[in-house]
Amino acid sequence: LFFVLNNVVSQEKKALTEQEYLLLQNKIRLNINVNVDSAVVYANKMAKSDNFKHLAFAEGALSYLNQLKGNSAKSKESYQLAFKYLNKMPESREKTEIKSYLYNYGGLGEWKRGNFSKALENYQEGMKLSMEIRDIVQIVKFKTNISSINNAVGNYRLAIKNLRQLDEFVDKNESVYTKEQFLNTKSNINLSLAGAYENYYVKNLKERTLLDSSEYFYNKTISYSKNFADNKIVAKLSLGNIYSWKKDYVKAEKTYYDIIFLADQNKMPDMVCLANYNLGDIYYTTKKYDKALVFFKKTDSISAITKTNEVDYLKSNYYQAKIYNILKEPDLAYKHSKIYLDNYEKSEAKLNDQVLEVNYKLGVGGLTDEMLSIQEKYKYDVFLNKALKVFYVVLFVAIVFLLIKNIRDKNKAHKKMNALIEEFKANLEKKSQVETIEQEHEQEEVVFEPEEIQLKKENVNLSIDEAKENKIVEKLLALESKHEYLNADFTLPYVAKKIKTNTTYLSYVVNKRFGKSFGEYSNELKINYVINEMITNHMYRKYSTQAIAESVGFKNAVSFAKSFRKRTGVSPAQFANNI
């Protein structure tokens, strides 16, 4: 019996080759964002090795994967086992590397459990190790995850600043990644950046540019996430939220239904739950209370299974209480309001504690770094003479003065730019949907052909069925997503031919749906593209006005500059300098 059992164990436990280990490691990482079950299979296969390095990594990955599946107890057990195997490894660079991986998985697991402070602690410890061995790929992961923590606790401006710097850093170090790793990293960074802009907008609803930036980065995330279902679904879900804020409920509704299908297909019940809540929210907003209740009840039942959708469960009961109050059903209104209040106090208390702990740890870390920097700077100060000290004092005062002046100038310029953009937006909202022909002649790069003027007259009495109208809009939005409007020949006849309709219908639909002529609509798309590129691409800001004009299909720099000033209130150069 002993002989048989020994043979069985020896067959199960077999050291993997380094090539087999690295292949499995790569498959685990890629499938975490695509298919959790597949990642678990690869991790368990690695766990059959008798090499402590392989076992440590496998158990570390399983600790996060088990948490994704909602099994916290098994997650913690795998994490402890990972460190047990790690401690059996001899001291080496490999051991330090594996230890940093474990801290990363540990941080991800704590974050999924809602323990932001513990997650941050893991990331900070892991990053020290990665910096020690100069592991650029892992350093980027830690910085991305720390930015996500800042986003979760409300430090949006810090998260945005760090993520934008990190995005540029990854581009400069693309050579250290495989193609798949690079796309995954870019996907994660853009997703976090879009989320930070979105959450910042929620706190600053007047800053519509934040919402536009969020939409831009979610679309970039989707473009990088063709092979990463998790990020793609999260980004699409968030785009649905943006459509809701813009009151495009038809588009938002369609997006959420798509998410339910995709998330269910990829076995992501937490995303299914969130999409159901968002559908309930849309129907509540549009006063379709019966439909809203159906989706809120689905949210409650799914959240009871996932154990990770506490916030959705909380908000769902909040709206159910409001609906039953409107429907004059006091018993049910009381029931759901009590559920909401009981859970709100626990949730809010936990979040407040996490915010305090995270900010405290970030603050202490910053102070420690500052103290070390000052200590190093003045290490040999005792050897300097009095004249040199006086020089340092003068230099210090000059630097402080220049810094303060620079900050004030930047703030002043930033306020001026925001004021101009807000003023322009306010003016746009006050514009009537139909302008006189004389006003249309004043539009730069929106000069109407006699044919379009005639079409605008005809549009007054034109009417087409809603299905046909929706089809035209859908095709038009598809052209937008492909950036077709950047072509110089993006004209009314060209687009009408492209989407297989006539110019009369196209002009009518654009006027009705967007409140502007086709020429104005085309021009606005081009200028919005330039604004987004200037905000997100520092190299783009260095281009000449002529180069930028040509890149979006304007005939010359003069007409582009006038159109840009009309849209923003400032010249392209001033806008770029103020960012």
Side-chain angles (χ1 to χ4, degrees), residues 102 166 193 255 269 346-347 358 377 397 417 431 506:
L102 297 188
L166 196 58
L193 194 49
T255 302
K346 297 173 188 175
S347 175
V358 167
K377 183 177 179 180
V397 171
M417 181 180 71
K431 274 188 177 180
L506 178 58

Side-chain angles (χ1 to χ4, degrees), residues 27-202:
K27 286 181 177 180
I28 291 167
R29 285 170 169 161
L30 292 177
N31 278 279
I32 280 177
N33 290 327
V34 180
N35 189 317
V36 173
D37 289 333
S38 293
V40 170
V41 169
Y42 292 125
N44 282 325
K45 190 173 180 180
M46 186 185 286
K48 290 181 179 180
S49 173
D50 60 4
N51 183 299
F52 293 131
K53 178 177 76 172
H54 305 166
L55 291 167
F57 183 89
E59 292 298 338
L62 284 168
S63 71
Y64 178 47
L65 291 166
N66 285 323
Q67 189 57 51
L68 286 177
K69 293 170 78 69
N71 194 334
S72 296
K74 200 169 181 181
S75 170
K76 292 174 182 177
E77 183 183 326
S78 291
Y79 195 58
Q80 289 176 352
L81 194 56
F83 273 94
K84 181 180 175 182
Y85 289 128
L86 178 78
N87 292 333
K88 293 181 179 181
M89 290 177 63
E91 293 301 324
S92 62
R93 187 187 189 281
E94 274 191 333
K95 182 175 183 178
T96 304
E97 184 181 57
I98 294 294
K99 194 173 184 180
S100 74
Y101 295 163
L102 297 188
Y103 276 124
N104 188 43
Y105 283 129
L108 291 170
E110 293 294 352
W111 185 26
K112 281 292 179 182
R113 289 190 280 271
N115 300 325
F116 302 138
S117 174
K118 287 184 179 179
L120 177 65
E121 199 173 295
N122 275 273
Y123 295 147
Q124 288 175 331
E125 287 298 317
M127 189 154 70
K128 288 177 188 175
L129 297 170
S130 295
M131 291 177 77
E132 183 182 317
I133 59 175
R134 299 182 65 79
D135 186 344
I136 290 175
V137 173
Q138 199 64 22
I139 289 170
V140 170
K141 286 182 183 179
F142 282 121
K143 284 183 175 288
T144 305
N145 291 338
I146 289 172
S147 293
S148 296
I149 295 292
N150 277 315
N151 188 16
V153 300
N155 297 331
Y156 308 125
R157 293 180 68 179
L158 180 61
I160 289 168
K161 176 186 173 185
N162 291 342
L163 285 165
R164 288 174 72 105
Q165 291 173 347
L166 196 58
D167 196 38
E168 290 181 14
F169 178 77
V170 169
D171 286 337
K172 290 175 183 175
N173 289 276
E174 184 176 352
S175 59
V176 305
Y177 295 94
T178 64
K179 183 179 179 181
E180 203 79 3
Q181 286 174 335
F182 179 73
L183 291 173
N184 191 16
T185 302
K186 292 286 284 185
S187 170
N188 290 334
I189 292 173
N190 278 278
L191 181 62
S192 297
L193 194 49
Y197 273 113
E198 181 184 356
N199 291 331
Y200 197 13
Y201 169 75
V202 174

Side-chain angles (χ1 to χ4, degrees), residues 261-274:
F261 174 76
L262 285 171
D264 191 52
Q265 200 174 41
N266 287 276
K267 297 180 181 179
M268 297 168 64
D270 53 334
M271 290 292 111
V272 175
C273 183
L274 192 48

